Amino acid sequence: MTTDSYALHSDDHAHDTASHGSLKSYLIGFGLSVVLTAIPFWLVMTGVLDDKQVTALIVLVFAAVQIVVHMVYFLHMNTRSENGWTMMALIFTVIMVVIALTGSLWVMHHLNTNMMPMHDMSQMP
Amino acid sequence: MTIAVAPSQNSEPVFHLIDEHEHPEGTSTMLGFWLYLMSDCLIFAILFATYGVLGGNYAAGPAPKDLFDLKLVALNTTMLLLSSITYGFAMLTMEKSQVRATQAWLAITGLFGLAFICIELTEFAHMVHEGATPQRSAFLSSFFTLVGTHGLHVSCGLIWLVTLMTQVARFGLIEANRRRLMCLSMFWHFLDVVWIGVFTFVYLLGMLR
């Protein structure tokens, strides 16, 4: 009885860790990331769009999509592996990263704009 | 009183000892390594935040536009992307237990990684030669810290790769080596994900500033 459940368990674990991709999924991931890398570089290098803000926004969106593509096709992220614990850890990390990044940028931006006007560094000898 | 109670406690069946079975070696390694990667991700998040805050403070020194060569960065990105897909091929051949093919793909991955490091070091050397050292401005300090930390990770990955190739050459694709190769696979692809952030935030947005 106990050996049975033991064998079942180890079988379970083996299935958990064996979430590899196939040749097809690797090639799809590679193709997508080539396109998702090439377009932002092309946008910035040629300066097709006059508005820099719009270009920056598009570049950021492409980066976000490419990160998801890498996560799915190269790192084989899914909600099932390790009983969902990898996904839980990822979600927690993403929340922490978002708080750290937006918090720092937001606070420091306000600090900068509320500073007393200082002497212009570029005018210094 | 206590003596009277003790026997009745002992006579109760102890369930947890039966349930507690030995886990096969390495079953939790993947999850543990994933947690390490997530904590590494936090390190990079802090470095990105630092760069985001300090990235505009040039101290009348060189700005991204004066320093960055996007063609070189594009070449670098290509190297890392190619190394990612070749590592994927190494994992696929590993599953088919083809030792020679796995070794070949790992070697190609290593060469692409080495090319990445060499290009990055050339870029750094060029910048330092122009006087854009980490001491020059807050922008350059945070730039070298962020990009340098990523480069250091890739260098460590290369050392790890060579170590594993030696392991596979000596012991073949045994269970332990497969597990190690899978860990390095996650590490390598994770570094590629971080590089997406680097080339977007630092290089592309830096040129748009």
Side-chain angles (χ1 to χ4, degrees):
Chain A
M1 183 67 191
T2 43
T3 46
D4 255 15
S5 65
Y6 173 79
L8 258 173
H9 255 283
S10 55
D11 202 41
D12 236 22
H13 283 303
H15 273 293
D16 274 352
T17 49
S19 57
H20 306 293
S22 59
L23 179 65
K24 198 178 146 205
S25 76
Y26 273 114
L27 288 178
I28 291 173
F30 182 70
L32 281 176
S33 20
V34 166
V35 173
L36 290 169
T37 308
I39 293 175
F41 268 98
W42 173 73
L43 277 178
V44 175
M45 282 166 97
T46 55
V48 190
L49 300 172
D50 290 329
D51 196 341
K52 283 188 174 181
Q53 292 243 301
V54 176
T55 314
L57 205 66
I58 295 174
V59 166
L60 282 175
V61 170
F62 270 102
V65 175
Q66 198 182 346
I67 286 174
V68 175
V69 166
H70 273 246
M71 285 280 179
V72 172
Y73 288 101
F74 290 157
L75 281 168
H76 315 302
M77 276 303 294
N78 57 51
T79 48
R80 282 164 286 112
S81 60
E82 306 278 359
N83 296 324
W85 281 109
T86 49
M87 186 54 85
M88 287 296 276
L90 178 68
I91 291 169
F92 172 72
T93 312
V94 168
I95 292 171
M96 294 300 285
V97 168
V98 167
I99 291 173
L101 277 176
T102 52
S104 308
L105 294 177
W106 186 27
V107 169
M108 294 312 282
H109 175 74
H110 276 268
L111 206 64
N112 269 345
T113 44
N114 290 336
M115 280 279 274
M116 291 283 285
M118 301 263 284
H119 52 262
D120 191 359
M121 288 289 276
S122 58
Q123 300 300 317
M124 302 246 308
Chain B
M1 189 71 170
T2 46
I3 302 162
V5 172
S8 71
Q9 272 184 340
N10 280 350
S11 62
E12 275 180 24
V14 190
F15 289 107
H16 65 272
L17 273 179
I18 299 161
D19 268 4
E20 198 76 36
H21 60 264
E22 287 266 321
H23 281 273
E25 193 193 333
T27 43
S28 53
T29 307
M30 286 303 151
L31 182 58
F33 194 75
W34 181 255
L35 292 182
Y36 154 69
L37 285 184
M38 290 299 101
S39 59
D40 218 16
C41 192
L42 292 181
I43 293 180
F44 279 108
I46 297 308
L47 292 178
F48 271 111
T50 312
Y51 181 82
V53 169
L54 299 175
N57 302 355
Y58 309 130
K65 264 187 186 159
D66 313 318
L67 293 171
F68 297 160
D69 180 6
L70 275 191
K71 279 178 197 157
L72 210 61
V73 181
L75 183 68
N76 232 354
T77 309
T78 314
M79 290 299 139
L80 214 55
L81 251 182
L82 284 172
S83 80
S84 247
I85 184 80
T86 54
Y87 203 108
F89 291 153
M91 295 304 286
L92 291 176
T93 47
M94 182 196 84
E95 274 174 60
K96 292 176 192 154
S97 301
Q98 299 165 338
V99 179
R100 275 178 164 273
T102 308
Q103 291 281 57
W105 282 120
L106 287 178
I108 294 170
T109 308
L111 287 179
F112 279 130
L114 198 64
F116 173 84
I117 290 295
C118 289
I119 294 169
E120 190 161 77
L121 285 179
T122 314
E123 189 200 10
F124 282 3
H126 182 69
M127 285 172 74
V128 169
H129 185 71
E130 287 191 347
T133 58
Q135 296 98 315
R136 182 63 189 84
S137 64
F139 151 63
L140 284 166
S141 305
S142 53
F143 167 82
F144 276 105
T145 313
L146 172 57
V147 183
T149 305
H150 179 268
L152 206 61
H153 274 76
V154 176
S155 309
C156 291
L158 280 177
I159 296 170
W160 191 359
L161 189 77
V162 173
T163 314
L164 283 190
M165 282 178 71
T166 320
Q167 285 272 335
V168 172
R170 280 197 69 175
F171 303 108
L173 288 170
I174 54 172
E175 197 52 49
N177 277 346
R178 283 169 191 263
R179 194 170 64 235
R180 290 164 188 153
L181 281 171
M182 276 168 69
C183 281
L184 180 57
S185 163
M186 286 158 78
F187 186 69
W188 200 261
H189 293 309
F190 167 75
L191 287 182
D192 210 6
V193 172
V194 174
W195 182 253
I196 298 170
V198 172
F199 80 68
T200 305
F201 274 104
V202 177
Y203 290 102
L204 292 181
L205 294 190
M207 293 301 266
L208 288 174
R209 244 181 223 272

